[in-house]
Amino acid sequence: MPVSDISYRKRFLTKDNVYLPHLVIIEKIIDETPDTRTFHFNFKDKGLREEFPFKSGQFGEYSIFGIGEAPFCISSSPTRYDRLEFTVRRVGSLTNALHRLSVGAEIGFRGPYGNGFPLDLLEDKNLVFVAGGIGLAPLRSLIWNVIDNRDKYKNIDIIYGARSPADLCFKYDLKNWDKDKSINMVTTVDKGDKTWKGRVGFVPQVLEEVAPSADSAVAIACGPSIMIRFTFPVLAKLGFTPEQMITTLEKRMKCGIGKCGRCNIGNLYVCRDGPVFTYAQIKDFISDEY
Amino acid sequence: MNQKISKKDISKLLDELGKEFKVFSPSRESGVTTFAEWDGRDSSFLEWYRNTVISPKAQLQPLYEKMFSFHKDKEGYHLELPPPTDKKLIFGIRPCDAKALTIIDKTFQDTYQDPYYLDKRKNTLLVGLGCTNPYDSCFCTSLGLSPTQSSDVDLMLTDIGDEFLIEAVTDRGMKLIKKTSYLKEVTKTDEAKAEEARRQASSKVTRRLDTKDLAKRLLSSFDDQDFWEKVSNKCISCGICTLLCPTCYCFDISDELVKKEGSRFRSGDSCAFPVYTKMPMENPRLEKWRRVRQKVCHKYEFYPMSFEVIACSGCGRCIRLCPVNWDITQILASLPVKVKA
């Protein structure tokens, strides 16, 4: 399963060793929700940013030396050269340690890995983004990418939900996209609070209400697996074919390059052959272990 | 032209090779048979050696391996790679274990080169020793191998009584025997003896695994949860079959830190462990039958799909050393769905 731009990425290795991380500096930390933070970072060797090739939907392996390493998607857009970003929910030992970092901290980064979103498939199409919780992180990279090349794409719908208003990530982006007249932005929460005046309802249910047309459209969904499992049938009901539905999968990964073994679904490695798949591909997976 | 060496001269040969290489030969370490650095004294392995518990794969992908070290000062972190690997020679590797390396090469070469494994592989010479006394659990002949096959080594030794016949398989092997003392020319009788030894060895491997359409049969049995639950019942998820398997290569990556000096290392990992796939909120292979299915299907279905070779060389360790007598050849013979050829 060849990775198309591998030769270019190989030139980006440190000392020809794919496991040796680049040193990067945390430049800014944003509290997204009570348990989720976005980190802006840049290479310690600043010149590397210009050379650093990545696509929306690709991921990196981030490490705190002495604690460990874990994969997170790059949540900023490749069209924005001033910085790179990743977004982390506090759930395990490394993510907790990341949340304890301050601006100026030096961490390890290697990547980019994985296939990324198929931009050529999205061109001249109506785009429907469906995201839940921190699942907006990889889509956000793609959304900014698309906005920065707005004339290449047609209508844009964004349906985004979280458990509660406090759990909505990237509120500053949501505001921007809401103001953008070329985007239909729909935000929802599972359960509102006193100040919440917006929609209330689960993402798949709201998607059905918004009912974007499947005509010349592609839907890109990311969120908790339970949300994804309920989203595909709704999309199908709206007339989307399996080829018109795209998602990005999450697995425990260590190496990021198809060697350490654990992220396989049947014969495919999510790190090497994914993490972005169409529902047509997912339907053909040998295994339901995703 | 093949050569031969007297068994009495093996110690001297290993001493000589030890001047150029770090030589590893079969050894007993705390009661466990493994490949250990040649100590210049004990060549008794020639009598007891059938195959080691720990395969010589451990010389190329150790169960614990430092990837780089790091330390921090005023300027920040500094990363340092371990020193380049020594030139090694593995003396006495069995054909199944040598084939296993050829099989896992594909993973370590795929997409990105794995520098740790491939550097050691490049700097390691393999001197094979044909089997004359295979175990009941061996089934290499079902995987298209023979117990005396020379295809995956640099030099191949075949037991012809008081001597070993030596065949140079690769250029590296050829170069090595050209500068080695203690070798003698072979006679036609020696060649005939070697041929007879090879024939006999093959006939001693009696266990069979039917590999015909195996990947297809596994695919059609993949969703049969009842079957996988039944065959995984007695498995205790100890991981021995994977940790001792010469074609299992899965690993974990972790950090160690003592004061400001630390290292990142990788260690053997196993699909038998629930934690192997555990994510904070979910675990796709929490149930034991899924992990057993993964182990079996990875070797005989997924690996052939990716690399056109079964990830098994029939060494039989997973049968011989399983604490509950779990038997892969039995499991595969009992697959519920048969696909017509």
Side-chain angles (χ1 to χ4, degrees):
Chain A
M1 233 76 45
V3 178
S4 54
D5 57 352
I6 196 74
S7 60
Y8 186 72
R9 276 197 264 157
K10 272 181 184 161
R11 272 187 271 148
F12 197 69
L13 299 185
T14 328
K15 294 180 191 165
D16 267 342
N17 185 320
V18 66
Y19 299 103
L20 203 62
H22 289 280
L23 297 174
V24 299
I25 309 286
I26 302 292
E27 292 183 335
K28 190 176 172 184
I29 300 172
I30 297 172
D31 280 325
E32 300 288 352
T33 76
D35 64 5
T36 303
R37 280 181 178 168
T38 292
F39 298 87
H40 293 198
F41 68 101
N42 214 328
F43 293 95
K44 194 174 180 184
D45 176 357
K46 284 207 159 78
L48 286 176
R49 175 65 191 95
E50 283 294 317
E51 295 170 39
F52 178 63
F54 81 97
K55 294 194 240 170
S56 293
Q58 286 190 310
F59 66 94
E61 290 278 350
Y62 302 75
S63 55
I64 298 185
F65 298 106
I67 307 270
E69 196 174 44
F72 305 103
C73 74
I74 302 168
S75 59
S76 54
S77 169
T79 51
R80 309 275 167 119
Y81 278 89
D82 54 331
R83 60 170 181 266
L84 294 158
E85 296 175 33
F86 70 107
T87 303
V88 178
R89 191 168 154 209
R90 191 157 43 82
V91 282
S93 60
L94 182 74
T95 52
N96 267 290
L98 282 165
H99 273 242
R100 286 194 295 270
L101 293 180
S102 347
V103 169
E106 195 172 308
I107 64 169
F109 170 85
R110 55 189 182 91
Y113 301 133
N115 55 358
F117 291 107
L119 283 179
D120 48 341
L121 206 85
L122 307 182
E123 268 186 41
D124 293 323
K125 296 275 165 49
N126 298 314
L127 303 180
V128 181
F129 295 96
V130 187
I134 194 174
L136 186 57
L139 295 199
R140 170 185 186 254
S141 170
L142 180 61
I143 292 170
W144 279 119
N145 196 334
V146 162
I147 290 173
D148 287 344
N149 297 282
R150 190 65 190 88
D151 49 345
K152 282 191 186 169
Y153 308 91
K154 294 196 176 140
N155 297 336
I156 297 177
D157 289 285
I158 302 173
I159 294 142
Y160 175 56
R163 282 171 301 174
S164 74
D167 288 308
L168 291 167
C169 294
F170 309 109
K171 295 182 185 76
Y172 41 98
D173 286 336
L174 302 179
K175 213 179 278 174
N176 267 315
W177 300 336
D178 202 33
K179 270 189 269 173
D180 189 330
K181 290 207 173 67
S182 76
I183 296 173
N184 175 31
M185 175 80 222
V186 179
T187 309
T188 178
V189 294
D190 297 352
K191 208 175 163 212
D193 59 18
K194 280 175 200 157
T195 56
W196 182 252
K197 295 192 181 75
R199 266 178 197 265
V200 175
F202 295 112
V203 168
Q205 179 193 325
V206 172
L207 170 68
E208 197 167 355
E209 287 162 20
V210 175
S213 162
D215 191 32
S216 185
V218 178
I220 307 106
C222 186
S225 58
I226 181 87
M227 184 204 98
I228 298 297
R229 273 167 209 274
F230 282 100
T231 297
F232 284 147
V234 172
L235 288 169
K237 215 162 146 186
L238 295 171
F240 285 79
T241 63
E243 288 77 15
Q244 288 172 282
M245 307 178 199
I246 294 175
T247 189
T248 167
L249 300 176
E250 198 185 352
K251 284 274 169 197
R252 185 182 177 92
M253 295 172 185
K254 288 287 178 164
C255 71
I257 51 173
K259 304 201 193 300
C260 78
R262 71 204 72 230
C263 72
N264 75 305
I265 303 171
N267 61 319
L268 300 175
Y269 287 97
V270 171
C271 70
R272 184 192 64 177
D273 306 309
V276 176
F277 295 98
T278 65
Y279 185 52
Q281 289 174 298
I282 291 176
K283 273 190 2 183
D284 284 344
F285 282 169
I286 291 170
S287 167
D288 63 352
E289 288 163 358
Y290 61 87
Chain B
M1 186 65 187
N2 292 337
Q3 314 246 11
K4 64 180 178 179
I5 183 167
S6 165
K7 286 183 179 173
K8 282 183 299 197
D9 289 335
I10 288 293
S11 288
K12 285 188 259 175
L13 173 73
L14 294 181
D15 287 341
E16 187 179 85
L17 293 170
K19 288 174 191 156
E20 189 181 346
F21 302 94
K22 246 189 187 173
V23 175
F24 291 82
S25 62
S27 173
R28 280 202 182 94
E29 304 283 309
S30 319
V32 177
T33 53
T34 183
F35 277 73
E37 204 171 340
W38 167 246
D39 61 5
R41 289 188 301 274
D42 184 13
S43 64
S44 66
F45 69 86
L46 291 174
E47 271 106 61
W48 59 257
Y49 173 50
R50 295 175 78 185
N51 204 351
T52 50
V53 167
I54 296 169
S55 89
K57 184 202 69 169
Q59 305 309 325
L60 296 141
Q61 194 199 3
L63 274 181
Y64 170 95
E65 177 171 32
K66 191 185 274 195
M67 302 174 88
F68 59 87
S69 55
F70 50 83
H71 71 273
K72 195 182 180 183
D73 61 19
K74 275 180 285 177
E75 290 155 26
Y77 280 102
H78 301 270
L79 313 183
E80 198 180 334
L81 288 169
T85 49
D86 301 309
K87 277 169 81 179
K88 288 185 189 177
L89 183 145
I90 297 177
F91 184 88
I93 188 170
R94 295 300 188 191
C96 54
D97 289 341
K99 171 62 78 185
L101 297 176
T102 306
I103 293 170
I104 61 173
D105 283 349
K106 294 186 182 289
T107 287
F108 288 116
Q109 288 163 345
D110 175 56
T111 313
Y112 286 99
Q113 303 267 308
D114 184 284
Y116 303 100
Y117 173 86
L118 293 173
D119 283 356
K120 285 197 264 302
R121 184 82 162 105
K122 201 172 65 196
N123 287 305
T124 303
L125 250 78
L126 302 179
V127 179
L129 180 55
C131 275
T132 45
N133 192 11
Y135 292 95
D136 162 64
S137 47
C138 292
F139 55 103
C140 62
T141 51
S142 295
L143 278 309
L145 281 164
S146 92
T148 52
Q149 183 165 322
S150 63
S151 59
D152 303 285
V153 295
D154 295 294
L155 284 179
M156 187 67 200
L157 273 56
T158 307
D159 194 328
I160 51 169
D162 295 330
E163 292 155 323
F164 290 117
L165 182 123
I166 303 181
E167 179 192 345
V169 183
T170 63
D171 290 347
R172 291 203 301 181
M174 182 67 85
K175 272 186 204 147
L176 190 66
I177 54 168
K178 273 194 182 146
K179 55 184 177 185
T180 302
S181 329
Y182 316 112
L183 301 189
K184 288 173 273 184
E185 295 293 311
V186 288
T187 63
K188 274 196 178 145
T189 326
D190 295 329
E191 294 280 10
K193 274 194 217 166
E195 201 41 52
E196 177 58 18
R198 291 185 194 113
R199 202 189 53 74
Q200 276 198 16
S202 275
S203 70
K204 283 183 191 165
V205 179
T206 53
R207 184 179 288 267
R208 293 282 172 268
L209 171 71
D210 180 12
T211 57
K212 190 169 172 17
D213 294 322
L214 185 52
K216 275 193 216 162
R217 281 186 280 139
L218 276 166
L219 185 62
S220 63
S221 316
F222 194 84
D223 293 323
D224 191 337
Q225 185 175 338
D226 289 345
F227 169 75
W228 293 110
E229 279 182 349
K230 199 177 75 195
V231 300
S232 60
N233 266 338
K234 68 178 177 182
C235 172
I236 54 169
S237 299
C238 68
I240 280 294
C241 55
T242 57
L243 294 171
L244 297 177
C245 173
T247 65
C248 272
Y249 53 79
C250 292
F251 58 85
D252 198 359
I253 299 177
S254 317
D255 281 20
E256 272 177 336
L257 183 64
V258 181
K259 291 186 182 167
K260 281 181 180 172
E261 301 286 328
S263 61
R264 182 156 299 161
F265 63 91
R266 67 178 175 189
S267 50
D269 206 345
S270 171
C271 58
F273 306 150
V275 70
Y276 177 70
T277 48
K278 188 183 175 297
M279 290 178 282
M281 319 299 279
E282 292 169 59
N283 190 346
R285 289 199 282 269
L286 185 62
E287 300 106 317
K288 185 171 68 178
W289 64 270
R290 288 185 183 273
R291 303 199 299 275
V292 169
R293 181 176 72 175
Q294 161 66 19
K295 178 205 140 82
V296 174
C297 290
H298 182 223
K299 294 200 168 299
Y300 301 96
E301 181 184 350
F302 309 150
Y303 211 78
M305 287 173 87
S306 296
F307 300 119
E308 285 161 357
V309 61
I310 289 176
C312 170
S313 58
C315 76
R317 284 185 181 85
C318 59
I319 301 171
R320 201 153 62 238
L321 299 161
C322 175
V324 295
N325 292 322
W326 196 85
D327 181 341
I328 185 70
T329 56
Q330 267 177 23
I331 305 297
L332 291 173
S334 68
L335 281 174
V337 186
K338 305 270 184 271
V339 174
K340 279 180 208 141

